[in-house]
Amino acid sequence: MSADRASGHGAATALSLGAVFAIWWGATASGLITPLFLPGPGDVALRLIDLAQHGFVGATLLQHTGASLARVGLAMLFAVITAVPVGMAMGLYPRINAAIDPLIEFYRPVPPLAYLPLMVIWFGIGELTKILLIYLAIFAPLAIATASGVRRVDPNRIRAAQSLGASRDQIAWLVIFPSALPDILTGLRIALGVGWSTLVAAELVAATRGLGFMVQSASQMLVTDVVVAGIFVIALIALLIELVLRWVERRFAGWASAG
Amino acid sequence: MPTLSVDRVSLTYRSKRGPVAALADVSLAVASGEIVVALGASGCGKSTLLGLMAGFLKPSGGAVTVDGVPVSGPGTDRAVVFQDDALMPWLSAEDNVAFGLQMRGVAQAERRAAARDMLAQVGLAGCASHAIHEMSGGMRQRVGLARALAVKPDFLLMDEPLGALDELTRERMQMLVLNLWQTSGKGIFLITHSIEEALFLSTRLVLLSPRPGRIVQRYDTGFARRFIAGEPVRTIKADPDFLAMRDDLSSAILANAAEDAIDVG
Ligand SMILES: Nc1ncnc2c1ncn2[C@@H]1O[C@H](COP(=O)(O)OP(=O)(O)OP(=O)(O)O)[C@@H](O)[C@H]1O
Ligand SMILES: [Mg+2]
């Protein structure tokens, strides 16, 4: 992309964000919209500072955010540890794929919030339920991305490694896994996006801490500025997760997009 | 002086549209110090033959042996070079070359030193830490050659190694292959589409007919040895003998293609 085009894109982005912000500010400052319905940018900014310092419903902003991130982090960790080997096995062995793929395809299209009630019945409203929910949301796309990445590996690359004396395990972990890594990381990025929005929604239903819980409580108490501030934080973290994973993709799988 | 022998080998693929007879009754031997080139039209079974020799494929009939011992699978005694380099793009040039040594458990410092040595031999001294995607097609093929030679194989099996290169790079690589052949003394089996390349890079040449692949002509060629003896490449390729054999081969290929066309029609 040329520098000209890039700066043109930047200008378009700034213009659209600026316009939304200006309308928001204009509508609230002029008194056209009451603060209960939508507080102004200034109120929301002040509320953010207050949330950071004094918190809301028994925890500071940092604690709410930490609770949400910890759940997603744990779920992601377990998902990576399990979905990558399962996906590798599915990609390598058609028989294993035939056994596991239908199970994944059965639950994957169901929105996690649809089976949340069942999980609450089974596992209660504690941490286990929420982490398991996110885990399931991440597992399916990650396993599928891994399996398809494994299937796309150049067969000659595997043959070359065999002729160089690589064992089965060496081929799996030193040839096939790194070959599939770009697909795995893309799968993880998409899965985490889904996982994060699922988590926040799950916290609306059952939690005592977390960003979703904070927003939900504020809404019930009609504290609209906390609702808006909470939405901003949720969006910001989603953006940060996306950026971090893009960096990881460039760092560890940059060879796939370059030349 | 090991010899890689293909003895009355046939291979039939099972595909969804029924069996495909790719090779029929092919016999061939490659001894150390020889370059045997297989020439033939697209789809006549050249890669299949190489796959059998490398141990990627099992023959439907006949036997592939090294000094009488049946080949049971791929092995480091028979290193392979592919047209689409088949390198590990996430590894540096030197780590690609060191890959085979890594599989054997050679320590990193030692295998990297060996790899740099091999890279220098293929004309890539100073490129050890280059990323593969920063390299040109010719450089990648050099890395592929160095990687194959690093495991000290007895045989080098090359499937159209220069097929994707431009004319100038290609000729330089042909000379590199001959120089490496001379310094290493390996037995080389090489596949190509190019008649000129087949003549220049061979001590023996076999011509395959299409579907199922059979050896229809065998030639002893002396041009590779003449290059090693010091004759310039341009002189060799302009030699009347060279040109005569080239024409001969063209007609033979055409004749086989015509027969094939009659079979089909
Ligand atoms: N896995 C396979 N299953 C079925 N048929 C195959 C398979 N691999 C190759 N063939 C067929 O066997 C024949 C020989 O293929 P092969 O790749 O050995 O030809 P080739 O001489 O190397 O061709 P090219 O010059 O295009 O590389 C072709 O007709 C091809 O379509
Ligand atoms: Mg081929």
Side-chain angles (χ1 to χ4, degrees):
Chain A
M1 189 193 308
S2 74
D4 259 18
R5 266 225 347 256
S7 71
H9 290 179
T13 306
L15 200 70
S16 102
L17 285 180
V20 169
F21 197 81
I23 293 168
W24 178 20
W25 182 82
T28 49
S30 64
L32 211 65
I33 295 178
T34 71
L36 180 64
F37 198 72
L38 178 67
D43 291 346
V44 172
L46 285 176
R47 179 53 100 168
L48 263 177
I49 295 167
D50 179 64
L51 278 175
Q53 284 170 348
H54 305 109
F56 189 75
V57 284
T60 64
L61 182 62
L62 197 68
Q63 288 170 321
H64 283 304
T65 309
S68 295
L69 280 177
R71 287 172 190 135
V72 164
L74 272 174
M76 179 184 88
L77 187 71
F78 290 128
V80 168
I81 293 173
T82 52
V84 171
V86 167
M88 291 264 298
M90 288 168 66
L92 288 172
Y93 306 104
R95 197 165 288 177
I96 293 183
N97 187 60
I100 297 179
D101 191 55
L103 299 178
I104 292 182
E105 288 302 337
F106 172 74
Y107 90 79
R108 192 176 65 99
V110 181
L113 290 188
Y115 50 79
L116 177 60
L118 187 62
M119 293 185 51
V120 169
I121 294 170
W122 287 353
F123 304 110
I125 58 162
E127 288 305 310
L128 180 63
T129 297
K130 285 182 282 287
I131 293 173
L132 214 54
L133 190 80
I134 308 314
Y135 169 81
L136 287 173
I138 299 177
F139 182 92
L142 191 55
I144 289 171
T146 305
S148 88
V150 166
R151 284 187 210 105
R152 290 199 313 134
V153 180
D154 174 9
N156 279 348
R157 195 179 279 163
I158 296 170
R159 291 172 152 190
Q162 287 175 329
S163 290
L164 293 166
S167 66
R168 277 172 88 90
D169 283 353
Q170 285 173 323
I171 285 174
W173 296 109
L174 300 176
V175 180
I176 294 173
F177 173 72
S179 296
L181 193 59
D183 288 333
I184 295 173
L185 289 178
T186 305
L188 183 63
R189 180 160 57 80
I190 292 162
L192 265 185
V194 175
W196 177 247
S197 39
T198 305
L199 167 74
V200 172
E203 288 172 344
L204 297 177
V205 177
T208 54
R209 208 174 255 195
L211 288 170
F213 166 70
M214 184 184 87
V215 169
Q216 171 71 358
S217 312
S219 144
Q220 277 163 358
M221 299 175 212
L222 296 179
V223 194
T224 316
D225 50 2
V226 171
V227 174
V228 176
I231 290 170
F232 267 114
V233 174
I234 288 165
L236 190 71
I237 289 172
L239 183 68
L240 284 178
I241 292 176
E242 172 86 10
L243 289 179
V244 167
L245 273 154
R246 275 179 196 269
W247 178 83
V248 170
E249 278 184 75
R250 269 202 309 279
R251 171 72 182 71
F252 293 98
W255 56 267
S257 45
Chain B
M1 293 270 284
T3 302
L4 174 56
S5 307
V6 175
D7 192 23
R8 312 209 63 171
V9 157
S10 60
L11 189 130
T12 302
Y13 288 108
R14 284 167 216 288
S15 78
K16 282 179 197 115
R17 275 173 280 112
V20 179
L23 283 179
D25 199 26
V26 170
S27 296
L28 184 77
V30 183
S32 298
E34 278 190 304
I35 307 191
V36 177
V37 169
L39 182 65
S42 193
C44 70
K46 303 182 298 294
S47 296
T48 303
L49 179 56
L50 184 136
L52 287 161
M53 294 164 86
F56 304 140
L57 302 168
K58 302 244 172 300
S60 315
V64 180
T65 53
V66 176
D67 289 343
V69 181
V71 162
S72 60
T76 52
D77 58 326
R78 288 156 285 126
V80 182
V81 177
F82 296 95
Q83 175 177 356
D84 56 345
D85 61 59
L87 297 171
M88 316 294 163
W90 56 90
L91 297 178
S92 65
E94 69 178 344
D95 284 340
N96 265 285
V97 176
F99 189 84
L101 301 177
Q102 183 189 356
M103 297 304 102
R104 285 180 194 171
V106 176
Q108 190 177 63
E110 194 183 328
R111 67 181 191 243
R112 283 197 169 158
R116 264 177 243 133
D117 206 47
M118 272 325 307
L119 281 169
Q121 285 189 46
V122 297
L124 290 181
C127 297
S129 59
H130 278 38
I132 297 303
H133 62 76
E134 293 166 358
M135 299 183 129
S136 68
M139 289 166 86
R140 289 185 202 196
Q141 278 318 40
R142 287 170 194 260
V143 174
L145 266 169
R147 173 176 75 169
L149 289 169
V151 295
K152 305 218 177 308
D154 295 325
F155 303 97
L156 209 51
L157 311 176
M158 304 203 256
D159 194 344
E160 294 184 45
L162 315 183
L165 305 179
D166 63 85
E167 280 297 318
L168 285 171
T169 313
R170 191 161 181 160
E171 188 152 90
R172 292 177 60 187
M173 291 292 289
Q174 289 172 353
M175 295 191 275
L176 175 69
V177 168
L178 289 182
N179 287 326
L180 290 171
W181 168 60
Q182 192 217 3
T183 50
S184 68
K186 313 265 177 236
I188 297 182
F189 177 70
L190 187 144
I191 290 170
T192 180
H193 273 140
S194 156
I195 298 174
E196 189 189 81
E197 183 166 286
L199 283 170
F200 183 57
L201 286 188
S202 60
T203 58
R204 285 192 298 127
L205 195 163
V206 297
L207 182 63
L208 285 167
S209 72
R211 294 208 192 192
R214 297 174 191 277
I215 295 180
V216 287
Q217 298 272 15
R218 295 172 191 266
Y219 300 84
D220 286 318
T221 48
F223 305 110
R225 294 220 162 89
R226 277 163 64 176
F227 175 77
I228 295 301
E231 207 174 322
V233 53
R234 290 278 111 229
T235 322
I236 296 174
K237 289 187 178 176
D239 189 291
D241 284 350
F242 189 92
L243 298 175
M245 262 188 112
R246 201 182 68 179
D247 287 347
D248 201 39
L249 275 167
S250 304
S251 334
I253 290 172
L254 258 171
N256 277 294
E259 267 171 37
D260 187 50
I262 291 161
D263 278 359
V264 172

